[in-house]
Amino acid sequence: MPVPFADLRLQYQNIKAEIDGAIAAVIGDSAFIRGSHVDAFEQEFARAADIKHCVSCANGTDALYLAMARVEGAARRRR
């Protein structure tokens, strides 16, 4: 039995104004790397996760690398 994929078009239509506004703001500010939008995301995510800090990554590979480096560093400190 085929499993249907998520209907991204429907999801997008429900929040189209918010997404389009955010994209326009980033393009208008030429804030493609770092900048106020990323800072705001990191702060909001940290608040939502109830943690002190958040560091966003470019992709999942970067996130895994940072997590593994943190684990390795913690293990070295315990020795």
Side-chain angles (χ1 to χ4, degrees):
M1 178 169 110
V3 176
F5 287 105
D7 188 347
L8 298 179
R9 181 173 289 129
L10 177 62
Q11 290 179 12
Y12 168 68
Q13 291 303 322
N14 289 331
I15 55 175
K16 183 180 186 320
E18 183 179 356
I19 290 176
D20 291 352
I23 291 170
V26 169
I27 292 170
D29 294 346
S30 293
F32 304 108
I33 300 172
R34 298 289 318 149
S36 62
H37 301 284
V38 174
D39 292 340
F41 166 78
E42 290 174 344
Q43 291 169 7
E44 289 177 32
F45 188 89
R47 245 189 326 276
D50 196 27
I51 55 177
K52 289 183 180 182
H53 306 283
C54 168
V55 177
S56 57
C57 300
N59 54 58
T61 302
D62 288 351
L64 289 171
Y65 176 82
L66 289 174
M68 293 301 294
R70 172 66 175 102
V71 168
E72 182 180 335
R76 285 185 182 167
R77 285 190 294 277
R78 280 188 238 133
R79 292 181 192 162

